[in-house]
Amino acid sequence: MATRRRIAVQIVSTGLTALAVMAGLWFAAGAYLLAEFDQAASILKITDQIEKDVQQARRWEKNFLLNDVRSAEFHASALAEGEPAGGSLSEHRLAIASLDRNIAALEQVIADPKLISDVNERASEYAASFSAIVEAHLELGFQNWGLIGYWREAAHQIEAAAEQAGNANLTIELLVLRRHEKDFLLRGGDYEAAVYEQITRLRQILGSAGSAVELNTAVDRYAEAFRAYIETNTRIGVTENDGLRADIRLSAEAIESAVSTLGMNAEAVEARVRRDLIVSSLVIGLLGVGIAAALILWRARAITRPLVALRDSAREFGRGNLRTRVEVKDRNEVGDLAAAFNTMAVDLQRSEAELEQKNDTLAEQLEQLAGLYRILEEQNKVIESDLERAAVIQHAPVSYTHLTLPTIPFECRSRWSAYHERGGGGGGGGGGGGGG
């Protein structure tokens, strides 16, 4: 029972070791893959926030272009504080600040700066383009501010000068100019040529009428303000495909594209990590089973190797090699069995040696007995020869009747017969035959 328990404990401990190795491998691979997964998840989270920041910035940008540029508060704050204010601008600045923070966070997550350099560049371009368009709208002005204010002031000077001159034709042409001006402001560039043509016509009328210098100067100021307005408005862009508005749109789209690329890469990393987790789990599971099988096989061989060695030694011992010994390595039942086998081999070898010694002694004694037997046989032959001669003498005719020896032959035969009966064997038989 103790041996079975020990073997069971060894097998269980081997299995637990294999499980521990497998768990260690799984945790190592899982930690590496989960680190990649966490990084990809962080990139996705930050890129989503960056996209929201860009969308917020674009929303407040459009609100600024639609409302704030025609707000007196915006133009007045720029003159009073040096920095333009307004609800849309404040919200836009908050969106840009959040965008900068998230880009900085993205730099901390992504080790390679080249991957986010494009985002940084496009964000800087967007901020610079928006600042330029704000400055351009301040320059363009509204009502009494900027180029529009200068333009309106020049128109008012022309009206005042025309009224003072009392020239009806000039007044009519001036009203036509202001109508083209309003059409241009409402409908755009289609009326630009009409405004320039009317300015030329005014100059012709002023030249033919010999008007005052103030009136000519007012018309020149009007033409200069209109031309500056056209240039600034062209620089801003009439649509989102022109000027600074196009730069802002392209920069924002470039940010979204770069961030979208990073997001798609992060999603690809997440998908790869999920796939690698499944594959690594299968591989580690198979590897763990292989390691467990190898460890159990190694442990089984470690358990059976002494038994196999003991079996082979017993076979060798059975073939007559009494010098066979088993190396005792373990202090357990198998080791005790090997030690008992070695003790038995030593005892049998000693017994064999003693038996061989006794056999040698017995062989010597048998040799001595054989020598004695040969001597006895020679003596027996001599006696038989004497008996034969005696028998011959007994049956031979004797002429000496005066000699009486009747009892001698019989006494002799009786004495030798008694000898043969005690052990003489063949000699007695021969003598008996002779006596007959």
Side-chain angles (χ1 to χ4, degrees):
M1 290 295 295
T3 302
R4 292 180 179 178
R5 190 179 299 110
R6 184 177 292 107
I7 292 173
V9 169
Q10 290 177 350
I11 293 175
V12 170
S13 63
T14 302
L16 292 176
T17 302
L19 288 176
V21 172
M22 183 173 64
L25 291 174
W26 191 88
F27 279 118
Y32 174 76
L33 293 174
L34 288 177
E36 282 193 322
F37 187 86
D38 291 341
Q39 183 185 26
S42 299
I43 292 173
L44 274 177
K45 182 179 179 180
I46 295 172
T47 52
D48 288 343
Q49 189 58 47
I50 288 175
E51 289 179 349
K52 291 179 182 178
D53 292 337
V54 173
Q55 291 171 2
Q56 284 290 97
R58 294 304 308 275
R59 172 191 171 190
W60 293 114
E61 166 205 326
K62 288 180 173 62
N63 195 56
F64 166 75
L65 294 175
L66 289 174
N67 301 317
D68 288 12
V69 294
R70 295 176 178 84
S71 167
E73 179 187 0
F74 166 66
H75 296 278
S77 64
L79 292 176
E81 302 175 6
E83 182 177 356
S88 299
L89 279 179
S90 299
E91 295 296 334
H92 189 273
R93 291 191 188 100
L94 292 177
I96 293 299
S98 178
L99 177 63
D100 292 337
R101 286 194 302 270
N102 286 312
I103 291 175
L106 194 61
E107 289 179 350
Q108 299 297 322
V109 176
I110 299 177
D112 190 357
K114 293 181 180 179
L115 296 177
I116 59 170
S117 61
D118 191 36
V119 180
N120 265 324
E121 291 176 3
R122 299 298 177 267
S124 299
E125 289 176 1
Y126 176 82
S129 298
F130 186 77
S131 298
I133 205 171
V134 171
E135 294 296 329
H137 273 288
L138 286 173
E139 181 182 347
L140 194 64
F142 176 71
Q143 292 181 350
N144 297 324
W145 291 279
L147 290 174
I148 292 178
Y150 182 72
W151 186 12
R152 291 181 64 182
E153 183 182 357
H156 292 159
Q157 288 177 355
I158 295 173
E159 289 175 350
E163 184 178 354
Q164 185 177 2
N167 189 333
N169 291 332
L170 183 60
T171 302
I172 293 172
E173 296 298 331
L174 180 60
L175 291 174
V176 174
L177 175 64
R178 296 305 303 272
R179 188 188 66 185
H180 290 330
E181 171 191 325
K182 287 183 171 62
D183 289 337
F184 170 77
L185 292 175
L186 290 174
R187 297 178 178 86
D190 293 340
Y191 290 89
E192 179 182 350
V195 173
Y196 276 120
E197 289 176 1
Q198 195 62 27
I199 291 173
T200 303
R201 186 171 179 77
L202 276 175
R203 283 175 175 169
Q204 290 174 352
I205 293 172
L206 290 174
S208 62
S211 300
V213 176
E214 292 82 2
L215 190 55
N216 287 313
T217 302
V219 172
D220 291 339
R221 288 181 64 189
Y222 183 92
E224 180 185 354
F226 181 71
R227 183 174 60 255
Y229 179 88
I230 293 295
E231 291 175 355
T232 304
N233 200 46
T234 301
R235 179 157 52 90
I236 291 172
V238 179
T239 66
E240 286 192 345
N241 297 322
D242 304 319
L244 292 172
R245 293 181 65 183
D247 293 341
I248 289 177
R249 179 181 62 81
L250 293 175
S251 298
E253 290 177 353
I255 294 173
E256 292 175 343
S257 177
V259 169
S260 177
T261 300
L262 291 175
M264 287 189 293
N265 291 338
E267 290 177 352
V269 170
E270 281 190 342
R272 179 181 59 80
V273 168
R274 291 191 187 95
R275 184 176 64 254
D276 290 347
L277 276 174
I278 296 173
V279 173
S280 61
S281 298
L282 292 175
V283 171
I284 291 172
L286 294 175
L287 184 62
V289 171
I291 292 174
L295 289 176
I296 292 174
L297 180 61
W298 171 76
R299 176 58 65 183
R301 288 178 63 84
I303 294 172
T304 58
R305 190 181 296 111
L307 296 175
V308 172
L310 185 61
R311 180 201 64 189
D312 295 340
S313 298
R315 288 178 178 176
E316 188 68 20
F317 191 82
R319 295 189 186 97
N321 186 6
L322 299 183
R323 298 181 179 275
T324 302
R325 299 292 184 272
V326 180
E327 185 178 0
V328 180
K329 294 182 178 180
D330 301 324
R331 295 186 177 182
N332 51 24
E333 287 80 357
V334 178
D336 295 341
L337 183 61
F341 177 85
N342 292 336
T343 302
M344 179 193 70
V346 170
D347 293 341
L348 286 176
Q349 189 176 11
R350 185 184 304 113
S351 298
E352 185 184 28
E354 292 176 355
L355 183 60
E356 287 180 355
Q357 185 177 2
K358 290 179 180 179
N359 286 336
D360 293 340
T361 302
L362 183 60
E364 291 178 359
Q365 292 177 354
L366 288 175
E367 185 67 26
Q368 292 176 359
L369 289 175
L372 291 175
Y373 182 75
R374 285 192 297 271
I375 293 172
L376 288 175
E377 281 186 346
E378 290 177 359
Q379 291 179 356
N380 190 25
K381 289 178 181 180
V382 172
I383 292 172
E384 286 180 354
S385 178
D386 292 341
L387 288 174
E388 289 176 357
R389 284 196 300 271
V392 171
I393 294 171
Q394 182 180 0
H395 294 90
V398 180
S399 59
Y400 303 100
T401 57
H402 60 280
L403 294 176
T404 58
L405 297 172
T407 59
I408 294 174
F410 295 99
E411 291 176 359
C412 290
R413 185 176 60 181
S414 299
R415 187 173 57 251
W416 286 109
S417 295
Y419 170 76
H420 285 291
E421 289 176 359
R422 288 192 304 270

